Amino acid sequence: MKVYILHASMYGHTEILANAVTEGVNQAEGVEGILKSVEDTDPEELRDAAGIIWGSSGYFGEPNPKMATFFSKLGGLWVSGGLQGKAGGVFATASSQHGGVENVCRALQTPMQHHGMILVSNTGPLNEDRVNYGNPYGATSVIPVESSPEAPMNEPNNSEMELARQYGKLVAEAAAKLAK
């Protein structure tokens, strides 16, 4: 059983979070996580998926242009009902605390709803990490812009990465249940 993890990463930050989501998917029994860039994904591949988790960096609270272009290619799947009943999840990154990660998640969910997918919420026990870094709409991370072009790439913090792993596993387990 396959769960696709698709990312629209402009500078690499969102791909790092996608890697954590994929690690979580691969922890679910009998599920294989397929990590791909939206630019390298043929929408027809998604017909065989049990679940799909897609994510994007945010631009003023909306998904980035790469994700918008990808969504424009999903018309054939919509007409045929090719994604109906599949488990779906989302993830997002922003460069500032008020960069709109929750709004990006909600915007990423809308196409899933149009396709008839079943959205999986990112909920769990309320512990300190979930209270400080969790998001019920999906996995998220606030990653500040690097101080200079020569600076090493900033990455999600350990708590954000762990919550992304947990979410990947949660979506994969939901996909497995729905596929039975």
Side-chain angles (χ1 to χ4, degrees):
M1 177 176 330
K2 295 178 183 174
V3 170
Y4 278 75
I5 303 90
L6 307 178
H7 65 84
S9 190
M10 298 298 287
Y11 301 103
H13 303 95
T14 306
E15 184 176 2
I16 293 170
L17 193 62
N19 287 324
V21 172
T22 304
E23 289 171 15
V25 167
N26 287 328
Q27 290 174 7
E29 187 174 330
V31 180
E32 175 188 6
I34 309 292
L35 175 64
K36 295 186 81 170
S37 163
V38 292
E39 298 164 300
D40 298 329
T41 303
D42 177 351
E44 289 299 313
E45 294 175 68
L46 304 179
R47 285 186 189 276
D48 297 329
I52 302 165
I53 308 169
W54 57 46
S56 174
S57 55
Y59 276 21
F60 304 108
E62 295 295 324
N64 72 38
K66 288 181 182 182
M67 186 58 82
T69 298
F70 177 70
F71 287 157
S72 73
K73 297 175 183 178
L74 299 179
L77 288 171
W78 177 76
V79 168
S80 68
L83 302 183
Q84 288 182 5
K86 296 181 186 300
V90 300
F91 59 98
T93 62
S95 61
S96 69
Q97 187 63 37
H98 301 288
V101 289
E102 287 184 342
N103 199 60
V104 175
C105 284
R106 299 294 303 271
L108 292 169
Q109 290 174 343
T110 301
M112 289 184 168
Q113 291 169 312
H114 279 265
H115 282 276
M117 295 177 69
I118 299 167
L119 299 176
V120 179
S121 178
N122 187 13
T123 58
L126 287 179
N127 57 30
E128 186 176 346
D129 283 346
R130 192 166 295 281
V131 168
N132 289 326
Y133 302 104
N135 183 333
Y137 307 116
T140 57
S141 179
V142 175
I143 309 167
V145 174
E146 289 75 22
S147 59
S148 73
E150 296 81 32
M153 184 185 308
N154 292 326
E155 297 186 3
N157 68 41
N158 291 337
S159 297
E160 293 166 329
M161 293 289 279
E162 181 54 32
L163 289 169
R165 285 184 203 95
Q166 291 173 17
Y167 184 56
K169 184 177 181 186
L170 188 66
V171 175
E173 289 172 343
K177 288 176 186 175
L178 289 169
K180 286 185 179 182

PDB file of all heavy atoms in Angstrom, residues 112-129:
ATOM      1  N   MET A 112      -8.409  18.781  -1.680  1.00  0.00           N
ATOM      2  CA  MET A 112      -8.713  17.419  -1.224  1.00  0.00           C
ATOM      3  C   MET A 112     -10.214  17.256  -1.021  1.00  0.00           C
ATOM      4  O   MET A 112     -10.785  16.218  -1.374  1.00  0.00           O
ATOM      5  CB  MET A 112      -7.955  17.101   0.059  1.00  0.00           C
ATOM      6  CG  MET A 112      -6.475  16.941  -0.158  1.00  0.00           C
ATOM      7  SD  MET A 112      -5.617  16.460   1.351  1.00  0.00           S
ATOM      8  CE  MET A 112      -4.026  16.007   0.668  1.00  0.00           C
ATOM      9  N   GLN A 113     -10.858  18.271  -0.483  1.00  0.00           N
ATOM     10  CA  GLN A 113     -12.301  18.206  -0.285  1.00  0.00           C
ATOM     11  C   GLN A 113     -13.032  18.171  -1.619  1.00  0.00           C
ATOM     12  O   GLN A 113     -13.998  17.423  -1.783  1.00  0.00           O
ATOM     13  CB  GLN A 113     -12.759  19.383   0.571  1.00  0.00           C
ATOM     14  CG  GLN A 113     -12.256  19.244   2.002  1.00  0.00           C
ATOM     15  CD  GLN A 113     -12.450  20.495   2.823  1.00  0.00           C
ATOM     16  OE1 GLN A 113     -12.127  21.591   2.387  1.00  0.00           O
ATOM     17  NE2 GLN A 113     -12.971  20.326   4.024  1.00  0.00           N
ATOM     18  N   HIS A 114     -12.564  18.922  -2.597  1.00  0.00           N
ATOM     19  CA  HIS A 114     -13.183  18.889  -3.926  1.00  0.00           C
ATOM     20  C   HIS A 114     -13.041  17.522  -4.579  1.00  0.00           C
ATOM     21  O   HIS A 114     -13.907  17.122  -5.361  1.00  0.00           O
ATOM     22  CB  HIS A 114     -12.566  19.966  -4.830  1.00  0.00           C
ATOM     23  CG  HIS A 114     -13.133  21.316  -4.598  1.00  0.00           C
ATOM     24  ND1 HIS A 114     -14.165  21.846  -5.336  1.00  0.00           N
ATOM     25  CD2 HIS A 114     -12.817  22.263  -3.686  1.00  0.00           C
ATOM     26  CE1 HIS A 114     -14.455  23.051  -4.898  1.00  0.00           C
ATOM     27  NE2 HIS A 114     -13.649  23.334  -3.890  1.00  0.00           N
ATOM     28  N   HIS A 115     -11.979  16.822  -4.248  1.00  0.00           N
ATOM     29  CA  HIS A 115     -11.739  15.487  -4.807  1.00  0.00           C
ATOM     30  C   HIS A 115     -12.426  14.380  -4.012  1.00  0.00           C
ATOM     31  O   HIS A 115     -12.336  13.214  -4.383  1.00  0.00           O
ATOM     32  CB  HIS A 115     -10.228  15.207  -4.883  1.00  0.00           C
ATOM     33  CG  HIS A 115      -9.571  15.879  -6.034  1.00  0.00           C
ATOM     34  ND1 HIS A 115      -9.543  15.350  -7.302  1.00  0.00           N
ATOM     35  CD2 HIS A 115      -8.910  17.060  -6.114  1.00  0.00           C
ATOM     36  CE1 HIS A 115      -8.904  16.157  -8.109  1.00  0.00           C
ATOM     37  NE2 HIS A 115      -8.509  17.218  -7.418  1.00  0.00           N
ATOM     38  N   GLY A 116     -13.080  14.725  -2.911  1.00  0.00           N
ATOM     39  CA  GLY A 116     -13.775  13.708  -2.119  1.00  0.00           C
ATOM     40  C   GLY A 116     -12.850  12.897  -1.235  1.00  0.00           C
ATOM     41  O   GLY A 116     -13.182  11.771  -0.850  1.00  0.00           O
ATOM     42  N   MET A 117     -11.710  13.462  -0.893  1.00  0.00           N
ATOM     43  CA  MET A 117     -10.774  12.761  -0.012  1.00  0.00           C
ATOM     44  C   MET A 117     -11.220  12.915   1.441  1.00  0.00           C
ATOM     45  O   MET A 117     -12.009  13.800   1.779  1.00  0.00           O
ATOM     46  CB  MET A 117      -9.359  13.312  -0.215  1.00  0.00           C
ATOM     47  CG  MET A 117      -8.809  13.046  -1.612  1.00  0.00           C
ATOM     48  SD  MET A 117      -7.187  13.774  -1.885  1.00  0.00           S
ATOM     49  CE  MET A 117      -6.188  12.744  -0.804  1.00  0.00           C
ATOM     50  N   ILE A 118     -10.715  12.058   2.283  1.00  0.00           N
ATOM     51  CA  ILE A 118     -11.044  12.062   3.702  1.00  0.00           C
ATOM     52  C   ILE A 118      -9.862  12.669   4.448  1.00  0.00           C
ATOM     53  O   ILE A 118      -8.777  12.094   4.493  1.00  0.00           O
ATOM     54  CB  ILE A 118     -11.366  10.646   4.196  1.00  0.00           C
ATOM     55  CG1 ILE A 118     -12.584  10.136   3.422  1.00  0.00           C
ATOM     56  CG2 ILE A 118     -11.601  10.641   5.701  1.00  0.00           C
ATOM     57  CD1 ILE A 118     -12.841   8.667   3.555  1.00  0.00           C
ATOM     58  N   LEU A 119     -10.071  13.852   5.026  1.00  0.00           N
ATOM     59  CA  LEU A 119      -8.992  14.581   5.687  1.00  0.00           C
ATOM     60  C   LEU A 119      -8.715  14.011   7.070  1.00  0.00           C
ATOM     61  O   LEU A 119      -9.636  13.736   7.828  1.00  0.00           O
ATOM     62  CB  LEU A 119      -9.353  16.057   5.821  1.00  0.00           C
ATOM     63  CG  LEU A 119      -9.593  16.795   4.511  1.00  0.00           C
ATOM     64  CD1 LEU A 119     -10.046  18.213   4.784  1.00  0.00           C
ATOM     65  CD2 LEU A 119      -8.353  16.796   3.663  1.00  0.00           C
ATOM     66  N   VAL A 120      -7.435  13.856   7.357  1.00  0.00           N
ATOM     67  CA  VAL A 120      -6.998  13.374   8.659  1.00  0.00           C
ATOM     68  C   VAL A 120      -6.439  14.563   9.435  1.00  0.00           C
ATOM     69  O   VAL A 120      -5.520  15.246   8.970  1.00  0.00           O
ATOM     70  CB  VAL A 120      -5.930  12.262   8.523  1.00  0.00           C
ATOM     71  CG1 VAL A 120      -5.467  11.790   9.892  1.00  0.00           C
ATOM     72  CG2 VAL A 120      -6.484  11.104   7.694  1.00  0.00           C
ATOM     73  N   SER A 121      -6.994  14.792  10.606  1.00  0.00           N
ATOM     74  CA  SER A 121      -6.554  15.892  11.463  1.00  0.00           C
ATOM     75  C   SER A 121      -5.266  15.505  12.180  1.00  0.00           C
ATOM     76  O   SER A 121      -5.024  14.332  12.449  1.00  0.00           O
ATOM     77  CB  SER A 121      -7.655  16.186  12.482  1.00  0.00           C
ATOM     78  OG  SER A 121      -7.269  17.200  13.351  1.00  0.00           O
ATOM     79  N   ASN A 122      -4.466  16.492  12.495  1.00  0.00           N
ATOM     80  CA  ASN A 122      -3.218  16.254  13.224  1.00  0.00           C
ATOM     81  C   ASN A 122      -3.446  16.521  14.712  1.00  0.00           C
ATOM     82  O   ASN A 122      -3.038  17.527  15.256  1.00  0.00           O
ATOM     83  CB  ASN A 122      -2.101  17.152  12.689  1.00  0.00           C
ATOM     84  CG  ASN A 122      -0.753  16.822  13.305  1.00  0.00           C
ATOM     85  OD1 ASN A 122      -0.588  15.793  13.940  1.00  0.00           O
ATOM     86  ND2 ASN A 122       0.202  17.698  13.111  1.00  0.00           N
ATOM     87  N   THR A 123      -4.139  15.598  15.332  1.00  0.00           N
ATOM     88  CA  THR A 123      -4.421  15.746  16.756  1.00  0.00           C
ATOM     89  C   THR A 123      -3.778  14.612  17.531  1.00  0.00           C
ATOM     90  O   THR A 123      -3.404  13.600  16.973  1.00  0.00           O
ATOM     91  CB  THR A 123      -5.935  15.764  17.028  1.00  0.00           C
ATOM     92  OG1 THR A 123      -6.496  14.545  16.532  1.00  0.00           O
ATOM     93  CG2 THR A 123      -6.589  16.942  16.355  1.00  0.00           C
ATOM     94  N   GLY A 124      -3.672  14.803  18.812  1.00  0.00           N
ATOM     95  CA  GLY A 124      -3.068  13.802  19.684  1.00  0.00           C
ATOM     96  C   GLY A 124      -3.082  14.322  21.098  1.00  0.00           C
ATOM     97  O   GLY A 124      -3.683  15.366  21.385  1.00  0.00           O
ATOM     98  N   PRO A 125      -2.397  13.621  21.996  1.00  0.00           N
ATOM     99  CA  PRO A 125      -2.370  14.058  23.391  1.00  0.00           C
ATOM    100  C   PRO A 125      -1.799  15.470  23.511  1.00  0.00           C
ATOM    101  O   PRO A 125      -0.813  15.806  22.861  1.00  0.00           O
ATOM    102  CB  PRO A 125      -1.439  13.050  24.065  1.00  0.00           C
ATOM    103  CG  PRO A 125      -1.267  11.934  23.113  1.00  0.00           C
ATOM    104  CD  PRO A 125      -1.583  12.436  21.757  1.00  0.00           C
ATOM    105  N   LEU A 126      -2.442  16.273  24.327  1.00  0.00           N
ATOM    106  CA  LEU A 126      -1.957  17.636  24.520  1.00  0.00           C
ATOM    107  C   LEU A 126      -0.778  17.629  25.486  1.00  0.00           C
ATOM    108  O   LEU A 126      -0.944  17.576  26.689  1.00  0.00           O
ATOM    109  CB  LEU A 126      -3.066  18.543  25.042  1.00  0.00           C
ATOM    110  CG  LEU A 126      -4.130  18.908  24.031  1.00  0.00           C
ATOM    111  CD1 LEU A 126      -5.194  19.781  24.671  1.00  0.00           C
ATOM    112  CD2 LEU A 126      -3.536  19.607  22.823  1.00  0.00           C
ATOM    113  N   ASN A 127       0.400  17.645  24.893  1.00  0.00           N
ATOM    114  CA  ASN A 127       1.619  17.778  25.685  1.00  0.00           C
ATOM    115  C   ASN A 127       2.250  19.124  25.330  1.00  0.00           C
ATOM    116  O   ASN A 127       1.717  19.877  24.511  1.00  0.00           O
ATOM    117  CB  ASN A 127       2.573  16.593  25.420  1.00  0.00           C
ATOM    118  CG  ASN A 127       2.924  16.468  23.942  1.00  0.00           C
ATOM    119  OD1 ASN A 127       2.958  17.447  23.211  1.00  0.00           O
ATOM    120  ND2 ASN A 127       3.177  15.247  23.503  1.00  0.00           N
ATOM    121  N   GLU A 128       3.362  19.430  25.931  1.00  0.00           N
ATOM    122  CA  GLU A 128       3.987  20.744  25.721  1.00  0.00           C
ATOM    123  C   GLU A 128       4.332  20.991  24.248  1.00  0.00           C
ATOM    124  O   GLU A 128       4.102  22.082  23.726  1.00  0.00           O
ATOM    125  CB  GLU A 128       5.238  20.876  26.594  1.00  0.00           C
ATOM    126  CG  GLU A 128       5.844  22.255  26.548  1.00  0.00           C
ATOM    127  CD  GLU A 128       7.035  22.420  27.483  1.00  0.00           C
ATOM    128  OE1 GLU A 128       7.244  21.559  28.358  1.00  0.00           O
ATOM    129  OE2 GLU A 128       7.748  23.424  27.337  1.00  0.00           O
ATOM    130  N   ASP A 129       4.876  19.968  23.559  1.00  0.00           N
ATOM    131  CA  ASP A 129       5.231  20.153  22.152  1.00  0.00           C
ATOM    132  C   ASP A 129       4.002  20.413  21.289  1.00  0.00           C
ATOM    133  O   ASP A 129       4.017  21.280  20.417  1.00  0.00           O
ATOM    134  CB  ASP A 129       5.987  18.933  21.620  1.00  0.00           C
ATOM    135  CG  ASP A 129       7.431  18.909  22.065  1.00  0.00           C
ATOM    136  OD1 ASP A 129       7.928  19.944  22.553  1.00  0.00           O
ATOM    137  OD2 ASP A 129       8.064  17.844  21.930  1.00  0.00           O
TER     138      ASP A 129
END
